[in-house]
Amino acid sequence: MFEQLGLIGCGLMGGSFALALKNAGLVQRVVGFSPSAATLQKALQLGVIDAPAASPEQAACGADIVLVAVPVSATEATLQWIAPAVTKQMLIMDVGSTKADVLAAGQRALGERIGSFVPAHPIGGKEKAGVEHADTKLYQGCQVILTPTAETLDPQRQQALTVWQALGCKVVQMSPEAHDAAFAAVSHFPHLLAFALMNAVTGQPQGQEFLSLAGPGFRDFTRIAASDPKVWRDILLSNCQQLLVQSQHLQTQLQAFEALMVQGDGAALEALIARASSARSQWHLKQHHHPKPAC
Amino acid sequence: MFEQLGLIGCGLMGGSFALALKNAGLVQRVVGFSPSAATLQKALQLGVIDAPAASPEQAACGADIVLVAVPVSATEATLQWIAPAVTKQMLIMDVGSTKADVLAAGQRALGERIGSFVPAHPIGGKEKAGVEHADTKLYQGCQVILTPTAETLDPQRQQALTVWQALGCKVVQMSPEAHDAAFAAVSHFPHLLAFALMNAVTGQPQGQEFLSLAGPGFRDFTRIAASDPKVWRDILLSNCQQLLVQSQHLQTQLQAFEALMVQGDGAALEALIARASSARSQWHLKQHHHPKPAC
């Protein structure tokens, strides 16, 4: 399907994409760039990339597919680097968790070449960052959101759809704004809450004693708090407005619970819990092809 | 070890205790009571109990060990029922998630027989309630908190320790107040947050669309929101004061995050996330004897 993947950023997300593409026989050669020489060396040793590039531009040069897998805040600078190498035939994608800011960065950096860029957000990942955790099957069975616009070229839009589907993903297309609102609600804000809860517990004098008593509920509730600080710094900054909206919704609900607790209104409290419990029981993770716990 | 277990409440927690005791050869006979005739019938069919009792008192009468496995709010009434059958040799335990209120209920209901009562909180469970989900191994590898007091008789305190250890549990003893403060932080408040978040998401006009895009992070974060409404109504009411304290800690931390997001202070934001991420990465669920995912 592709001759050369230019991989810019050889971490968990980029490395897993390269491995999956190679494993599926969808690419002949991967040229990778990382600002860290050690990471580049590891990526070579692990077979994630076939050749190292000295710059993002060199990784993109001659590639027919380019994946920009860097923290969201580095997207614009990366796209500026590769802009001279971008052709009308090239497919460029990212893997960032926010999309309105990524699209704006793309428009500034790529100008009239923006048609080659299809912003992508694969809903997967692990808490363990780094190319050493790259996994051929990371994206298998996951959802991938694409946010093409009216400027996106048709062949690239189609190629983006096809390549993620070939990796076993379910592809959903929507506007960048709709994406950011939805993911603020179901991903970014839960992460923010998990970070805040961990700091709230450990900030108390008896925090460590409390933690030693925590059980499986706490384990699962706080799992996402172990996520990568740089990646999440960028997401919280990029999607700030939608996060504040979600925070207000949560605080309103929390206050409703607290008022009923203080009033001792058991019947109304039970109804609120039943609403949450029923909604959660009815919800199931959408999985495609290969159900697996990590996705 | 015991001749007869009087099981009052034949749900997930009580049923699993009965099965585990029988499976380990620690009891010869289980007499069970449930206010629901259908539940009692199921418990008989599943071999959870050997004989049904017509009242809590009848279940306790002649037993050398009694487990009160009812919603926390029903503890006092249940202990009042069985009070006439309580002997100085009998071990009485509960499985409630709050302990100060349970102890107070025990003191009111049992009076001078309070020495036979050892309040217990096994840290386990599932989101699926009901005797049909009772599981011999539910408690294996879990922590159990016991909150005996100066009034507790020594033989009962020792028996309680021994029986939970025999089921593969790690037993920790502490005061009821210390228990309630710790579990507000690491269990009760996370549940409250998960309930509030589910209601916040589903209460928005696009809630169902948002939910359809949610991934594995959301799945794990909200797992505990599917918990039993009656059980959690009682816990939220019983531990109200400690929950309000934890809610204040969380809101303070959340506001710190939001202020940095609005200011665009990436360095300070990254430091806050790194603190949470590092604390969560270093924390591990304490498991005893038999590590298993459900505990």
Side-chain angles (χ1 to χ4, degrees):
Chain A
M1 184 171 180
F2 296 106
E3 293 197 357
Q4 184 173 316
L5 167 65
L7 181 66
I8 301 166
C10 300
L12 172 72
M13 302 292 277
S16 297
F17 183 79
L19 285 178
L21 231 59
K22 292 174 90 168
N23 191 56
L26 295 173
V27 70
Q28 290 176 25
R29 179 181 153 87
V30 179
V31 179
F33 171 77
S34 167
S36 152
T39 297
L40 212 53
Q41 188 59 32
K42 256 189 274 181
L44 257 177
Q45 284 170 351
L46 294 166
V48 167
I49 65 172
D50 302 304
S55 69
E57 189 184 352
Q58 195 187 316
C61 193
D64 44 359
I65 176 170
V66 170
L67 191 77
V68 175
V70 300
V72 168
S73 66
T75 305
E76 184 164 354
T78 305
L79 292 174
Q80 280 171 344
W81 263 95
I82 68 167
V86 172
T87 67
K88 275 202 171 174
Q89 287 69 44
M90 189 181 279
L91 167 64
I92 308 170
M93 295 190 292
D94 75 318
V95 294
S97 298
T98 54
K99 294 270 79 68
D101 64 323
V102 160
L103 180 68
Q107 285 164 332
R108 286 190 300 268
L110 299 175
E112 61 179 14
R113 297 185 179 89
I114 189 67
S116 298
F117 183 44
V118 184
H121 176 200
I123 317 303
K126 309 182 193 175
E127 282 61 51
K128 296 184 173 179
V131 70
E132 60 271 30
H133 298 109
D135 178 351
T136 307
K137 300 190 173 175
L138 184 69
Y139 300 119
Q140 217 172 74
C142 294
Q143 285 200 95
V144 175
I145 317 298
L146 300 180
T147 61
T149 66
E151 297 173 299
T152 311
L153 296 169
D154 270 344
Q156 271 84 338
R157 180 205 281 252
Q158 188 52 53
Q159 273 185 314
L161 187 69
T162 308
V163 69
W164 287 109
Q165 285 175 340
L167 299 186
C169 302
K170 185 190 169 206
V171 179
V172 177
Q173 299 187 48
M174 60 176 70
S175 76
E177 294 72 25
H179 168 280
D180 288 359
F183 284 89
V186 297
S187 170
H188 305 167
F189 187 64
H191 277 78
L192 177 52
L193 269 187
F195 298 142
L197 182 80
M198 277 309 297
N199 287 352
V201 173
T202 58
Q204 296 173 56
Q206 298 160 286
Q208 289 307 314
E209 190 188 329
F210 290 172
L211 282 183
S212 76
L213 295 165
F218 183 84
R219 176 196 58 201
D220 291 354
F221 187 79
T222 58
R223 180 177 67 79
I224 52 178
S227 298
D228 185 70
K230 282 188 204 305
V231 167
W232 281 90
R233 170 200 65 196
D234 288 356
I235 293 171
L236 299 188
L237 290 173
S238 297
N239 209 9
C240 177
Q241 291 312 313
Q242 294 292 343
L243 276 161
L244 295 177
V245 170
Q246 291 304 322
S247 185
Q248 273 310 311
H249 284 302
L250 183 277
Q251 286 175 53
T252 302
Q253 293 297 328
L254 193 55
Q255 282 155 15
F257 273 95
E258 289 180 358
L260 296 175
M261 286 159 56
V262 170
Q263 293 158 24
D265 188 343
L269 198 54
E270 184 182 337
L272 274 195
I273 302 171
R275 196 181 125 201
S277 179
S278 159
R280 181 56 183 79
S281 300
Q282 282 161 31
W283 177 83
H284 297 285
L285 185 61
K286 284 200 181 162
Q287 289 188 312
H288 195 58
H289 292 157
H290 309 279
K292 64 182 172 69
C295 181
Chain B
M1 185 170 178
F2 296 106
E3 292 196 0
Q4 183 174 316
L5 167 66
L7 181 65
I8 301 165
C10 301
L12 172 72
M13 303 292 278
S16 298
F17 184 80
L19 284 179
L21 231 58
K22 292 175 91 170
N23 191 53
L26 296 172
V27 72
Q28 289 175 26
R29 177 181 154 87
V30 178
V31 179
F33 171 76
S34 168
S36 152
T39 297
L40 212 52
Q41 189 58 32
K42 258 189 272 181
L44 257 178
Q45 283 168 351
L46 294 165
V48 167
I49 65 172
D50 302 304
S55 69
E57 189 183 355
Q58 194 187 321
C61 193
D64 44 0
I65 176 170
V66 170
L67 191 75
V68 176
V70 301
V72 168
S73 66
T75 305
E76 186 165 353
T78 306
L79 291 174
Q80 280 171 343
W81 263 96
I82 67 167
V86 172
T87 67
K88 274 201 171 174
Q89 287 69 46
M90 189 182 280
L91 167 63
I92 308 169
M93 296 190 292
D94 75 319
V95 294
S97 297
T98 53
K99 294 271 79 71
D101 64 324
V102 161
L103 180 68
Q107 285 164 334
R108 287 190 299 267
L110 299 176
E112 59 179 15
R113 296 186 180 89
I114 188 69
S116 298
F117 182 43
V118 184
H121 175 200
I123 317 303
K126 307 182 193 177
E127 282 62 50
K128 297 184 175 182
V131 70
E132 59 272 31
H133 298 109
D135 177 353
T136 307
K137 299 189 173 177
L138 184 69
Y139 300 119
Q140 216 172 72
C142 294
Q143 285 200 95
V144 176
I145 317 297
L146 300 180
T147 62
T149 66
E151 298 173 299
T152 311
L153 296 169
D154 271 342
Q156 273 84 337
R157 179 205 284 251
Q158 188 53 52
Q159 273 185 315
L161 187 68
T162 307
V163 69
W164 287 109
Q165 285 175 340
L167 299 186
C169 301
K170 184 189 169 208
V171 179
V172 177
Q173 299 188 48
M174 60 175 69
S175 75
E177 294 73 25
H179 169 280
D180 288 358
F183 285 88
V186 299
S187 171
H188 307 167
F189 187 64
H191 276 78
L192 176 52
L193 269 187
F195 298 142
L197 183 80
M198 278 309 297
N199 287 353
V201 173
T202 57
Q204 295 172 58
Q206 297 160 286
Q208 289 307 315
E209 190 188 330
F210 290 172
L211 282 183
S212 75
L213 296 165
F218 182 85
R219 175 196 59 201
D220 291 355
F221 187 80
T222 58
R223 181 176 66 79
I224 52 179
S227 299
D228 185 71
K230 283 188 203 306
V231 167
W232 281 91
R233 171 200 66 195
D234 288 356
I235 293 171
L236 298 188
L237 290 173
S238 297
N239 210 9
C240 177
Q241 291 311 312
Q242 294 293 343
L243 277 161
L244 295 178
V245 170
Q246 292 304 323
S247 185
Q248 272 310 310
H249 285 301
L250 183 275
Q251 287 176 54
T252 301
Q253 294 295 329
L254 193 55
Q255 281 155 15
F257 273 94
E258 290 180 357
L260 296 175
M261 287 159 56
V262 170
Q263 292 158 25
D265 188 343
L269 198 55
E270 185 181 337
L272 273 195
I273 301 170
R275 197 181 124 202
S277 179
S278 158
R280 181 55 182 80
S281 300
Q282 283 162 31
W283 177 83
H284 297 286
L285 185 61
K286 283 199 181 162
Q287 290 188 310
H288 194 59
H289 292 156
H290 309 278
K292 64 179 170 70
C295 181

